[in-house]
Amino acid sequence: QVQLVESGGGLVQAGGSLRLSCAASGRTFSTYAMGWFRRAPGKEREVVARINWNGISTYYANSVRGRFTISRDNAKNTVYLQMNSLKPEDTAIYYCAADRNYNGPYNYWGQGTQVTVSS
């Protein structure tokens, strides 16, 4: 089992950048695939990016590809989401999640961190 805590959210102007971090507890972090998801007001939760256990494989939603970068540091039990060229439509609560399977269903979730992008 793994516990996740996100940080790094906040308010930023359009075109700006933020880096989200997700710190995981436990000694088995390196065996988990990790994902970032988001839920915007009035919308369903959607996947933003995923990364496999060793960082070799990544996936990005079309809406963020080329602007966001997911990475992980297994020595620090942390996964990151670098978000550049932010747009107002990126406003959402961002969650990190973990699963043994890169393709999900992602059974372990953090509490979320708010990202607000002003126009």
Side-chain angles (χ1 to χ4, degrees):
Q1 197 168 10
V2 61
Q3 293 182 324
L4 306 170
V5 179
E6 302 97 334
S7 61
L11 174 64
V12 64
Q13 288 188 332
S17 298
L18 282 175
R19 188 175 82 155
L20 305 183
S21 299
C22 174
S25 64
R27 300 180 180 179
T28 60
F29 173 76
S30 63
T31 68
Y32 286 88
M34 300 297 296
W36 285 98
F37 297 76
R38 68 186 181 186
R39 176 174 285 160
K43 295 187 177 181
E44 296 290 319
R45 186 179 65 200
E46 61 176 354
V47 61
V48 175
R50 293 184 281 122
I51 189 167
N52 76 327
W53 68 275
N54 62 4
I56 296 298
S57 296
T58 57
Y59 165 85
Y60 295 94
N62 288 337
S63 58
V64 306
R65 188 173 292 114
R67 300 187 297 122
F68 291 10
T69 302
I70 189 170
S71 62
R72 66 188 297 160
D73 185 338
N74 286 343
K76 296 183 178 180
N77 280 16
T78 302
V79 63
Y80 305 97
L81 185 68
Q82 178 66 44
M83 305 186 294
N84 298 329
S85 302
L86 282 161
K87 304 175 181 180
E89 51 263 43
D90 294 317
T91 295
I93 300 174
Y94 284 71
Y95 301 89
C96 73
D99 201 278
R100 297 285 191 182
N101 189 333
Y102 175 63
N103 292 314
Y106 289 88
N107 289 312
Y108 304 101
W109 293 84
Q111 83 289 348
T113 186
Q114 176 71 48
V115 171
T116 303
V117 184
S118 63
S119 57

